[in-house]
């Protein structure tokens, strides 16, 4: 089954404790992206990657890191989480179209709470 | 500033009616347009994509694009209670590297 998977699905952590949210896709997509979704603010892009070893900032990259060492995986790293990073996080992937993104398919989401 | 605008709703329609959802975008060079459906607490699900002016139909859904007016819409015919969800408009603003999402329109279909 073609899918985007994320782990963990739910996470409660404390301020300052480094964490990683994994994202993996089995569709051979070149493009991958991370979003956060907050009430009243909608979906906002954190980082994206057009291919292996190619990453770029989205609209809200502060406090986050990413890496793209393999085509299928795109982990999101919070090195020192803070309460304002409490949010619902989505990973998405797509084939590349004219060097950019095409129809994006989303993972199930990770609900993160930072206390 | 590049933006995608949607009426937040809720848009309430009776079962069997046509629901019309609208979206405007700020960038004339935008080329790719998408509609996603999102149930509460779930991930966005792609339901329609459209790339050229005019209408595109897929089952009960019709997407309409007017690039001159910078306007894209989604029509849902024979609306069902299961269509009750938030509908997100997404546009590749300023090129193809990113998708910018509107904040969504909540649709409520009453039996």
């Amino acid at each position: 089954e073609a899918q985007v998977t994320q782990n963990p699905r739910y996470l409660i952590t404390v301020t300052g404790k480094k964490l990683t949210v994994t994202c993996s896709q089995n569709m051979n997509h070149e493009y991958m992206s991370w979003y956060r979704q907050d009430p009243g603010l909608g979906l906002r892009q954190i980082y994206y990657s057009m291919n292996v070893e190619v990453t770029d900032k989205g609209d809200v990259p502060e406090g986050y890191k990413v890496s793209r060492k393999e085509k299928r995986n795109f982990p999101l790293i919070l090195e020192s989480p803070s309460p304002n990073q409490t949010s619902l996080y989505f990973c998405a992937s797509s084939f590349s179209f004219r060097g950019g993104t095409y129809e994006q398919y989303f993972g199930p989401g990770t609900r993160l709470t930072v206390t | 500033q590049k933006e995608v605008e949607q009426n937040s709703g809720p848009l309430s329609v009776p079962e069997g009616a046509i629901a019309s959802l609208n979206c405007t975008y700020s960038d004339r060079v935008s080329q790719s347009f998408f509609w996603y459906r999102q149930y509460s607490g779930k991930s966005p699900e792609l339901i329609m994509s459209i790339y050229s002016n005019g209408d595109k139909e897929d089952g009960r859904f019709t997407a309409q694009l007017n690039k001159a007016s910078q306007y894209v819409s989604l029509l849902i015919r024979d609306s069902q209670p299961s269509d009750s969800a938030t509908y997100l408009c997404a546009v590749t603003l300023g090129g193809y590297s990113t998708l910018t999402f509107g904040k969504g329109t909540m649709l409520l279909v009453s039996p």
Side-chain angles (χ1 to χ4, degrees), chain B residues 62-106:
Chain B
T62 299
Q64 300 174 317
L65 176 60
N66 183 326
K67 288 187 178 181
S69 299
Q70 296 175 226
Y71 175 93
V72 58
S73 64
L74 179 70
L75 300 178
I76 306 175
R77 289 181 300 281
D78 188 24
S79 295
Q80 301 296 309
S82 59
D83 294 325
S84 297
T86 296
Y87 289 80
L88 305 173
C89 173
V91 179
T92 51
L93 296 177
Y96 297 96
S97 62
T98 61
L99 269 186
T100 298
F101 286 81
K103 293 180 181 178
T105 298
M106 182 182 293

mmCIF file of all heavy atoms in Angstrom, chain B residues 62-106:
data_model
loop_
_atom_site.group_PDB
_atom_site.id
_atom_site.type_symbol
_atom_site.label_atom_id
_atom_site.label_comp_id
_atom_site.label_asym_id
_atom_site.label_seq_id
_atom_site.Cartn_x
_atom_site.Cartn_y
_atom_site.Cartn_z
ATOM 1 N N THR B 62 -16.521 18.967 -8.720
ATOM 2 C CA THR B 62 -16.080 19.745 -9.869
ATOM 3 C C THR B 62 -15.206 20.881 -9.378
ATOM 4 O O THR B 62 -15.620 21.660 -8.517
ATOM 5 C CB THR B 62 -17.261 20.339 -10.660
ATOM 6 O OG1 THR B 62 -18.078 19.276 -11.158
ATOM 7 C CG2 THR B 62 -16.764 21.178 -11.832
ATOM 8 N N ALA B 63 -13.993 20.949 -9.907
ATOM 9 C CA ALA B 63 -13.111 22.079 -9.620
ATOM 10 C C ALA B 63 -13.194 23.046 -10.788
ATOM 11 O O ALA B 63 -13.251 22.633 -11.950
ATOM 12 C CB ALA B 63 -11.681 21.603 -9.410
ATOM 13 N N GLN B 64 -13.193 24.332 -10.471
ATOM 14 C CA GLN B 64 -13.258 25.377 -11.490
ATOM 15 C C GLN B 64 -12.102 26.340 -11.266
ATOM 16 O O GLN B 64 -11.864 26.765 -10.138
ATOM 17 C CB GLN B 64 -14.593 26.133 -11.392
ATOM 18 C CG GLN B 64 -15.809 25.251 -11.592
ATOM 19 C CD GLN B 64 -17.117 26.006 -11.348
ATOM 20 O OE1 GLN B 64 -17.235 26.754 -10.399
ATOM 21 N NE2 GLN B 64 -18.088 25.790 -12.234
ATOM 22 N N LEU B 65 -11.401 26.668 -12.344
ATOM 23 C CA LEU B 65 -10.248 27.559 -12.246
ATOM 24 C C LEU B 65 -10.398 28.719 -13.207
ATOM 25 O O LEU B 65 -10.703 28.528 -14.387
ATOM 26 C CB LEU B 65 -8.958 26.788 -12.561
ATOM 27 C CG LEU B 65 -7.663 27.594 -12.600
ATOM 28 C CD1 LEU B 65 -7.376 28.261 -11.257
ATOM 29 C CD2 LEU B 65 -6.496 26.703 -13.025
ATOM 30 N N ASN B 66 -10.159 29.927 -12.689
ATOM 31 C CA ASN B 66 -10.153 31.134 -13.507
ATOM 32 C C ASN B 66 -8.889 31.910 -13.151
ATOM 33 O O ASN B 66 -8.842 32.627 -12.149
ATOM 34 C CB ASN B 66 -11.402 31.977 -13.230
ATOM 35 C CG ASN B 66 -11.475 33.202 -14.122
ATOM 36 O OD1 ASN B 66 -10.463 33.804 -14.479
ATOM 37 N ND2 ASN B 66 -12.685 33.593 -14.484
ATOM 38 N N LYS B 67 -7.848 31.731 -13.949
ATOM 39 C CA LYS B 67 -6.561 32.340 -13.630
ATOM 40 C C LYS B 67 -6.598 33.858 -13.777
ATOM 41 O O LYS B 67 -5.914 34.565 -13.042
ATOM 42 C CB LYS B 67 -5.465 31.752 -14.517
ATOM 43 C CG LYS B 67 -5.112 30.321 -14.162
ATOM 44 C CD LYS B 67 -3.912 29.845 -14.966
ATOM 45 C CE LYS B 67 -3.523 28.426 -14.583
ATOM 46 N NZ LYS B 67 -2.341 27.953 -15.345
ATOM 47 N N ALA B 68 -7.405 34.372 -14.697
ATOM 48 C CA ALA B 68 -7.484 35.826 -14.880
ATOM 49 C C ALA B 68 -8.032 36.499 -13.626
ATOM 50 O O ALA B 68 -7.582 37.579 -13.221
ATOM 51 C CB ALA B 68 -8.348 36.150 -16.082
ATOM 52 N N SER B 69 -8.994 35.838 -12.984
ATOM 53 C CA SER B 69 -9.587 36.372 -11.753
ATOM 54 C C SER B 69 -8.888 35.841 -10.503
ATOM 55 O O SER B 69 -9.253 36.228 -9.380
ATOM 56 C CB SER B 69 -11.081 36.021 -11.697
ATOM 57 O OG SER B 69 -11.758 36.588 -12.798
ATOM 58 N N GLN B 70 -7.910 34.956 -10.679
ATOM 59 C CA GLN B 70 -7.161 34.364 -9.562
ATOM 60 C C GLN B 70 -8.121 33.721 -8.566
ATOM 61 O O GLN B 70 -8.098 34.019 -7.355
ATOM 62 C CB GLN B 70 -6.259 35.425 -8.912
ATOM 63 C CG GLN B 70 -5.197 35.924 -9.878
ATOM 64 C CD GLN B 70 -4.350 37.053 -9.333
ATOM 65 O OE1 GLN B 70 -4.115 38.039 -10.004
ATOM 66 N NE2 GLN B 70 -3.896 36.925 -8.115
ATOM 67 N N TYR B 71 -8.889 32.813 -9.095
ATOM 68 C CA TYR B 71 -10.022 32.259 -8.352
ATOM 69 C C TYR B 71 -10.139 30.778 -8.694
ATOM 70 O O TYR B 71 -10.073 30.383 -9.867
ATOM 71 C CB TYR B 71 -11.267 33.019 -8.813
ATOM 72 C CG TYR B 71 -12.581 32.564 -8.274
ATOM 73 C CD1 TYR B 71 -13.115 33.131 -7.136
ATOM 74 C CD2 TYR B 71 -13.326 31.586 -8.945
ATOM 75 C CE1 TYR B 71 -14.354 32.729 -6.663
ATOM 76 C CE2 TYR B 71 -14.553 31.174 -8.483
ATOM 77 C CZ TYR B 71 -15.061 31.763 -7.347
ATOM 78 O OH TYR B 71 -16.285 31.371 -6.904
ATOM 79 N N VAL B 72 -10.291 29.959 -7.656
ATOM 80 C CA VAL B 72 -10.526 28.524 -7.866
ATOM 81 C C VAL B 72 -11.653 28.100 -6.937
ATOM 82 O O VAL B 72 -11.736 28.587 -5.795
ATOM 83 C CB VAL B 72 -9.235 27.708 -7.645
ATOM 84 C CG1 VAL B 72 -8.665 27.903 -6.259
ATOM 85 C CG2 VAL B 72 -9.452 26.242 -7.933
ATOM 86 N N SER B 73 -12.526 27.251 -7.416
ATOM 87 C CA SER B 73 -13.663 26.833 -6.609
ATOM 88 C C SER B 73 -13.846 25.326 -6.671
ATOM 89 O O SER B 73 -13.306 24.650 -7.551
ATOM 90 C CB SER B 73 -14.944 27.536 -7.062
ATOM 91 O OG SER B 73 -15.278 27.146 -8.384
ATOM 92 N N LEU B 74 -14.603 24.815 -5.712
ATOM 93 C CA LEU B 74 -14.939 23.395 -5.659
ATOM 94 C C LEU B 74 -16.441 23.288 -5.460
ATOM 95 O O LEU B 74 -16.987 23.876 -4.521
ATOM 96 C CB LEU B 74 -14.207 22.705 -4.504
ATOM 97 C CG LEU B 74 -14.495 21.218 -4.334
ATOM 98 C CD1 LEU B 74 -13.877 20.421 -5.483
ATOM 99 C CD2 LEU B 74 -13.971 20.711 -2.986
ATOM 100 N N LEU B 75 -17.085 22.557 -6.349
ATOM 101 C CA LEU B 75 -18.506 22.271 -6.213
ATOM 102 C C LEU B 75 -18.677 20.822 -5.809
ATOM 103 O O LEU B 75 -18.035 19.932 -6.397
ATOM 104 C CB LEU B 75 -19.246 22.520 -7.532
ATOM 105 C CG LEU B 75 -19.185 23.934 -8.103
ATOM 106 C CD1 LEU B 75 -19.921 23.996 -9.437
ATOM 107 C CD2 LEU B 75 -19.765 24.931 -7.133
ATOM 108 N N ILE B 76 -19.530 20.582 -4.836
ATOM 109 C CA ILE B 76 -19.854 19.218 -4.415
ATOM 110 C C ILE B 76 -21.340 19.030 -4.665
ATOM 111 O O ILE B 76 -22.179 19.672 -4.019
ATOM 112 C CB ILE B 76 -19.522 18.984 -2.930
ATOM 113 C CG1 ILE B 76 -18.058 19.351 -2.634
ATOM 114 C CG2 ILE B 76 -19.790 17.524 -2.565
ATOM 115 C CD1 ILE B 76 -17.696 19.269 -1.159
ATOM 116 N N ARG B 77 -21.657 18.157 -5.619
ATOM 117 C CA ARG B 77 -23.062 17.890 -5.932
ATOM 118 C C ARG B 77 -23.598 16.798 -5.024
ATOM 119 O O ARG B 77 -22.842 15.957 -4.533
ATOM 120 C CB ARG B 77 -23.195 17.459 -7.394
ATOM 121 C CG ARG B 77 -22.961 18.567 -8.392
ATOM 122 C CD ARG B 77 -23.139 18.045 -9.811
ATOM 123 N NE ARG B 77 -22.201 16.960 -10.106
ATOM 124 C CZ ARG B 77 -20.929 17.148 -10.409
ATOM 125 N NH1 ARG B 77 -20.435 18.369 -10.451
ATOM 126 N NH2 ARG B 77 -20.145 16.124 -10.661
ATOM 127 N N ASP B 78 -24.930 16.814 -4.826
ATOM 128 C CA ASP B 78 -25.583 15.788 -4.008
ATOM 129 C C ASP B 78 -24.835 15.611 -2.688
ATOM 130 O O ASP B 78 -24.406 14.507 -2.324
ATOM 131 C CB ASP B 78 -25.646 14.466 -4.776
ATOM 132 C CG ASP B 78 -26.487 13.405 -4.068
ATOM 133 O OD1 ASP B 78 -27.362 13.789 -3.277
ATOM 134 O OD2 ASP B 78 -26.244 12.209 -4.301
ATOM 135 N N SER B 79 -24.666 16.706 -1.960
ATOM 136 C CA SER B 79 -23.884 16.685 -0.725
ATOM 137 C C SER B 79 -24.437 15.660 0.264
ATOM 138 O O SER B 79 -25.658 15.511 0.416
ATOM 139 C CB SER B 79 -23.890 18.072 -0.068
ATOM 140 O OG SER B 79 -23.222 19.000 -0.880
ATOM 141 N N GLN B 80 -23.534 14.976 0.941
ATOM 142 C CA GLN B 80 -23.883 13.962 1.930
ATOM 143 C C GLN B 80 -23.345 14.373 3.299
ATOM 144 O O GLN B 80 -22.332 15.072 3.382
ATOM 145 C CB GLN B 80 -23.281 12.623 1.521
ATOM 146 C CG GLN B 80 -23.741 12.123 0.169
ATOM 147 C CD GLN B 80 -25.227 11.850 0.155
ATOM 148 O OE1 GLN B 80 -25.753 11.151 1.015
ATOM 149 N NE2 GLN B 80 -25.915 12.422 -0.826
ATOM 150 N N PRO B 81 -23.980 13.912 4.373
ATOM 151 C CA PRO B 81 -23.444 14.220 5.706
ATOM 152 C C PRO B 81 -21.977 13.831 5.861
ATOM 153 O O PRO B 81 -21.222 14.503 6.573
ATOM 154 C CB PRO B 81 -24.356 13.407 6.640
ATOM 155 C CG PRO B 81 -25.658 13.363 5.922
ATOM 156 C CD PRO B 81 -25.291 13.237 4.449
ATOM 157 N N SER B 82 -21.559 12.776 5.147
ATOM 158 C CA SER B 82 -20.154 12.360 5.222
ATOM 159 C C SER B 82 -19.202 13.356 4.551
ATOM 160 O O SER B 82 -17.979 13.251 4.711
ATOM 161 C CB SER B 82 -19.976 10.983 4.579
ATOM 162 O OG SER B 82 -20.399 11.020 3.229
ATOM 163 N N ASP B 83 -19.740 14.323 3.805
ATOM 164 C CA ASP B 83 -18.911 15.366 3.221
ATOM 165 C C ASP B 83 -18.581 16.457 4.234
ATOM 166 O O ASP B 83 -17.773 17.350 3.938
ATOM 167 C CB ASP B 83 -19.621 16.018 2.023
ATOM 168 C CG ASP B 83 -19.810 15.063 0.856
ATOM 169 O OD1 ASP B 83 -18.924 14.203 0.638
ATOM 170 O OD2 ASP B 83 -20.845 15.172 0.161
ATOM 171 N N SER B 84 -19.204 16.415 5.389
ATOM 172 C CA SER B 84 -18.936 17.416 6.426
ATOM 173 C C SER B 84 -17.483 17.314 6.862
ATOM 174 O O SER B 84 -17.042 16.282 7.393
ATOM 175 C CB SER B 84 -19.864 17.201 7.632
ATOM 176 O OG SER B 84 -21.217 17.377 7.263
ATOM 177 N N ALA B 85 -16.739 18.377 6.619
ATOM 178 C CA ALA B 85 -15.304 18.390 6.857
ATOM 179 C C ALA B 85 -14.807 19.807 6.587
ATOM 180 O O ALA B 85 -15.581 20.682 6.196
ATOM 181 C CB ALA B 85 -14.585 17.398 5.933
ATOM 182 N N THR B 86 -13.522 20.006 6.781
ATOM 183 C CA THR B 86 -12.885 21.267 6.373
ATOM 184 C C THR B 86 -12.198 21.049 5.035
ATOM 185 O O THR B 86 -11.479 20.056 4.854
ATOM 186 C CB THR B 86 -11.875 21.743 7.426
ATOM 187 O OG1 THR B 86 -12.573 22.038 8.643
ATOM 188 C CG2 THR B 86 -11.148 22.992 6.959
ATOM 189 N N TYR B 87 -12.429 21.962 4.104
ATOM 190 C CA TYR B 87 -11.858 21.857 2.760
ATOM 191 C C TYR B 87 -10.758 22.896 2.605
ATOM 192 O O TYR B 87 -10.978 24.093 2.796
ATOM 193 C CB TYR B 87 -12.953 22.020 1.708
ATOM 194 C CG TYR B 87 -13.862 20.815 1.692
ATOM 195 C CD1 TYR B 87 -14.868 20.674 2.645
ATOM 196 C CD2 TYR B 87 -13.669 19.784 0.773
ATOM 197 C CE1 TYR B 87 -15.667 19.543 2.678
ATOM 198 C CE2 TYR B 87 -14.466 18.657 0.789
ATOM 199 C CZ TYR B 87 -15.459 18.546 1.746
ATOM 200 O OH TYR B 87 -16.247 17.413 1.783
ATOM 201 N N LEU B 88 -9.581 22.412 2.266
ATOM 202 C CA LEU B 88 -8.398 23.248 2.148
ATOM 203 C C LEU B 88 -8.056 23.467 0.681
ATOM 204 O O LEU B 88 -7.961 22.505 -0.093
ATOM 205 C CB LEU B 88 -7.202 22.595 2.838
ATOM 206 C CG LEU B 88 -7.365 22.192 4.302
ATOM 207 C CD1 LEU B 88 -6.141 21.416 4.773
ATOM 208 C CD2 LEU B 88 -7.565 23.421 5.159
ATOM 209 N N CYS B 89 -7.856 24.715 0.323
ATOM 210 C CA CYS B 89 -7.372 25.080 -1.001
ATOM 211 C C CYS B 89 -5.859 25.227 -0.903
ATOM 212 O O CYS B 89 -5.339 25.802 0.064
ATOM 213 C CB CYS B 89 -8.023 26.393 -1.421
ATOM 214 S SG CYS B 89 -7.414 27.117 -2.945
ATOM 215 N N ALA B 90 -5.126 24.693 -1.878
ATOM 216 C CA ALA B 90 -3.671 24.784 -1.875
ATOM 217 C C ALA B 90 -3.188 25.203 -3.255
ATOM 218 O O ALA B 90 -3.695 24.718 -4.276
ATOM 219 C CB ALA B 90 -3.045 23.450 -1.470
ATOM 220 N N VAL B 91 -2.196 26.089 -3.277
ATOM 221 C CA VAL B 91 -1.721 26.673 -4.527
ATOM 222 C C VAL B 91 -0.206 26.720 -4.506
ATOM 223 O O VAL B 91 0.397 27.013 -3.466
ATOM 224 C CB VAL B 91 -2.280 28.112 -4.689
ATOM 225 C CG1 VAL B 91 -1.781 28.740 -5.977
ATOM 226 C CG2 VAL B 91 -3.797 28.116 -4.635
ATOM 227 N N THR B 92 0.426 26.433 -5.659
ATOM 228 C CA THR B 92 1.868 26.643 -5.756
ATOM 229 C C THR B 92 2.072 28.106 -6.122
ATOM 230 O O THR B 92 2.010 28.484 -7.289
ATOM 231 C CB THR B 92 2.511 25.736 -6.816
ATOM 232 O OG1 THR B 92 1.792 25.876 -8.046
ATOM 233 C CG2 THR B 92 2.473 24.293 -6.389
ATOM 234 N N LEU B 93 2.318 28.936 -5.122
ATOM 235 C CA LEU B 93 2.508 30.362 -5.331
ATOM 236 C C LEU B 93 3.948 30.650 -5.750
ATOM 237 O O LEU B 93 4.883 30.094 -5.184
ATOM 238 C CB LEU B 93 2.181 31.142 -4.057
ATOM 239 C CG LEU B 93 0.735 31.098 -3.558
ATOM 240 C CD1 LEU B 93 0.608 31.863 -2.252
ATOM 241 C CD2 LEU B 93 -0.207 31.669 -4.597
ATOM 242 N N GLY B 94 4.125 31.492 -6.755
ATOM 243 C CA GLY B 94 5.462 31.942 -7.107
ATOM 244 C C GLY B 94 6.370 30.861 -7.639
ATOM 245 O O GLY B 94 7.584 30.944 -7.522
ATOM 246 N N GLY B 95 5.818 29.822 -8.227
ATOM 247 C CA GLY B 95 6.658 28.745 -8.740
ATOM 248 C C GLY B 95 6.123 27.411 -8.326
ATOM 249 O O GLY B 95 4.949 27.263 -8.042
ATOM 250 N N TYR B 96 6.983 26.418 -8.254
ATOM 251 C CA TYR B 96 6.516 25.067 -7.977
ATOM 252 C C TYR B 96 7.113 24.473 -6.700
ATOM 253 O O TYR B 96 6.816 23.348 -6.367
ATOM 254 C CB TYR B 96 6.900 24.150 -9.148
ATOM 255 C CG TYR B 96 6.246 24.536 -10.449
ATOM 256 C CD1 TYR B 96 6.922 25.332 -11.370
ATOM 257 C CD2 TYR B 96 4.968 24.119 -10.745
ATOM 258 C CE1 TYR B 96 6.321 25.693 -12.558
ATOM 259 C CE2 TYR B 96 4.371 24.470 -11.938
ATOM 260 C CZ TYR B 96 5.048 25.249 -12.832
ATOM 261 O OH TYR B 96 4.460 25.611 -14.010
ATOM 262 N N SER B 97 7.947 25.230 -5.980
ATOM 263 C CA SER B 97 8.699 24.594 -4.907
ATOM 264 C C SER B 97 7.888 24.342 -3.646
ATOM 265 O O SER B 97 8.234 23.476 -2.858
ATOM 266 C CB SER B 97 9.937 25.426 -4.563
ATOM 267 O OG SER B 97 9.554 26.711 -4.105
ATOM 268 N N THR B 98 6.821 25.112 -3.433
ATOM 269 C CA THR B 98 6.050 24.926 -2.208
ATOM 270 C C THR B 98 4.565 25.041 -2.490
ATOM 271 O O THR B 98 4.143 25.692 -3.447
ATOM 272 C CB THR B 98 6.420 25.967 -1.130
ATOM 273 O OG1 THR B 98 6.129 27.273 -1.630
ATOM 274 C CG2 THR B 98 7.882 25.892 -0.751
ATOM 275 N N LEU B 99 3.786 24.401 -1.630
ATOM 276 C CA LEU B 99 2.341 24.554 -1.626
ATOM 277 C C LEU B 99 1.970 25.502 -0.505
ATOM 278 O O LEU B 99 2.433 25.321 0.623
ATOM 279 C CB LEU B 99 1.648 23.221 -1.362
ATOM 280 C CG LEU B 99 1.242 22.328 -2.510
ATOM 281 C CD1 LEU B 99 0.453 21.134 -1.990
ATOM 282 C CD2 LEU B 99 0.428 23.085 -3.540
ATOM 283 N N THR B 100 1.141 26.493 -0.818
ATOM 284 C CA THR B 100 0.607 27.371 0.219
ATOM 285 C C THR B 100 -0.859 27.032 0.411
ATOM 286 O O THR B 100 -1.622 26.975 -0.562
ATOM 287 C CB THR B 100 0.772 28.844 -0.166
ATOM 288 O OG1 THR B 100 2.163 29.142 -0.306
ATOM 289 C CG2 THR B 100 0.192 29.752 0.907
ATOM 290 N N PHE B 101 -1.245 26.808 1.646
ATOM 291 C CA PHE B 101 -2.608 26.399 1.961
ATOM 292 C C PHE B 101 -3.427 27.569 2.477
ATOM 293 O O PHE B 101 -2.924 28.416 3.232
ATOM 294 C CB PHE B 101 -2.605 25.304 3.033
ATOM 295 C CG PHE B 101 -2.178 23.961 2.526
ATOM 296 C CD1 PHE B 101 -0.843 23.653 2.365
ATOM 297 C CD2 PHE B 101 -3.129 23.004 2.199
ATOM 298 C CE1 PHE B 101 -0.441 22.413 1.880
ATOM 299 C CE2 PHE B 101 -2.742 21.760 1.721
ATOM 300 C CZ PHE B 101 -1.403 21.468 1.565
ATOM 301 N N GLY B 102 -4.695 27.604 2.091
ATOM 302 C CA GLY B 102 -5.638 28.464 2.764
ATOM 303 C C GLY B 102 -5.973 27.877 4.132
ATOM 304 O O GLY B 102 -5.614 26.734 4.435
ATOM 305 N N LYS B 103 -6.672 28.665 4.943
ATOM 306 C CA LYS B 103 -6.989 28.193 6.293
ATOM 307 C C LYS B 103 -8.176 27.245 6.317
ATOM 308 O O LYS B 103 -8.471 26.650 7.352
ATOM 309 C CB LYS B 103 -7.215 29.379 7.220
ATOM 310 C CG LYS B 103 -5.948 30.187 7.442
ATOM 311 C CD LYS B 103 -6.173 31.373 8.364
ATOM 312 C CE LYS B 103 -4.868 32.147 8.535
ATOM 313 N NZ LYS B 103 -5.031 33.343 9.393
ATOM 314 N N GLY B 104 -8.835 27.113 5.182
ATOM 315 C CA GLY B 104 -9.894 26.118 5.094
ATOM 316 C C GLY B 104 -11.285 26.668 5.314
ATOM 317 O O GLY B 104 -11.475 27.646 6.031
ATOM 318 N N THR B 105 -12.252 26.007 4.685
ATOM 319 C CA THR B 105 -13.666 26.290 4.875
ATOM 320 C C THR B 105 -14.332 25.062 5.470
ATOM 321 O O THR B 105 -14.217 23.961 4.909
ATOM 322 C CB THR B 105 -14.364 26.632 3.546
ATOM 323 O OG1 THR B 105 -13.789 27.814 2.990
ATOM 324 C CG2 THR B 105 -15.862 26.853 3.757
ATOM 325 N N MET B 106 -15.004 25.251 6.584
ATOM 326 C CA MET B 106 -15.734 24.143 7.206
ATOM 327 C C MET B 106 -17.085 23.988 6.515
ATOM 328 O O MET B 106 -17.844 24.951 6.382
ATOM 329 C CB MET B 106 -15.942 24.384 8.694
ATOM 330 C CG MET B 106 -16.660 23.238 9.399
ATOM 331 S SD MET B 106 -16.948 23.568 11.137
ATOM 332 C CE MET B 106 -15.290 23.578 11.756
#
